Amino acid sequence: MKRALVTALCIAAALMLWSCSGDTNNPAGGTTTPPAGDTTPAETTAPVEAVDLGSYTIVRADELDTDFSKYITGWRTSLNTALGATLSIKSDWSKDNKQNNTVESGADVHEILIGDTNRAESRAAADENSMAFGYVVKYTNGKLVIWGTDTNATIKGMDYVLDLITKGTE
């Protein structure tokens, strides 16, 4: 059952990457515009057998409004129920990174990155996309990135991922 969930998530991530390769309507109702230059992902997705979201940590930006922070907590509860897991949430703040520089980590650090975190993968998603409204869901370097052009778009991306997972458990 878990493999079906992971398969659905990987397929969704691949579809989202594909949707960014041209001007197409995305599930959030906006349009995507391809980034300048090469649209080939810099990273490849891991084999389906290697992805187990139940062992991931949800990472959010340190400075969020209270409503969005509460939304992420509720989303995590729903995700835990769907996966039968106990995911934790942490902010991207670190006493060693007070300037909020980009944090690079290896593929062995498994995280679900929500919105504008200081992780290299989140920042790459933001830098690679110039859409007016929309979100990106992609799996890269051991991380599931859910990034939106604003809070509402990020929430739509989170809902999209949760919907894929919950449909896979029915």
Side-chain angles (χ1 to χ4, degrees):
M1 183 60 97
K2 217 178 222 184
R3 186 174 291 206
L5 293 173
V6 172
T7 301
L9 190 55
C10 286
I11 290 170
L15 288 173
M16 291 304 296
L17 284 173
W18 173 78
S19 72
C20 290
S21 66
D23 287 336
T24 60
N25 287 329
N26 68 25
T31 59
T32 59
T33 303
D38 186 11
T39 60
T40 305
E43 305 287 338
T44 59
T45 58
V48 172
E49 298 80 12
V51 179
D52 178 12
L53 290 179
S55 66
Y56 279 48
T57 299
I58 298 170
V59 177
R60 61 164 182 80
D62 184 50
E63 296 182 12
L64 291 179
D65 72 39
T66 304
D67 290 339
F68 189 37
S69 184
K70 287 179 182 177
Y71 191 87
I72 292 171
T73 301
W75 182 81
R76 185 260 323 251
T77 300
S78 299
L79 191 62
N80 282 342
T81 300
L83 293 173
T86 307
L87 301 177
S88 62
I89 300 174
K90 70 178 189 176
S91 79
D92 63 356
W93 184 86
S94 168
K95 66 179 178 157
D96 298 327
N97 188 17
K98 292 181 182 173
Q99 302 302 321
N100 204 25
N101 295 322
T102 300
V103 174
E104 306 250 357
S105 59
D108 59 326
V109 179
H110 299 119
E111 297 173 325
I112 299 173
L113 307 176
I114 305 292
D116 290 320
T117 72
N118 63 8
R119 302 303 196 263
E121 295 80 8
S122 291
R123 291 191 171 167
D127 291 344
E128 293 167 1
N129 290 284
S130 60
M131 60 186 118
F133 180 84
Y135 61 83
V136 175
V137 173
K138 71 178 185 176
Y139 182 81
T140 182
N141 196 30
K143 287 139 190 71
L144 176 63
V145 179
I146 305 172
W147 175 86
T149 53
D150 62 15
T151 300
N152 290 328
T154 302
I155 287 172
K156 287 188 179 288
M158 293 167 62
D159 290 346
Y160 176 73
V161 169
L162 184 60
D163 189 48
L164 285 173
I165 291 171
T166 53
K167 282 183 179 177
T169 60
E170 292 176 348

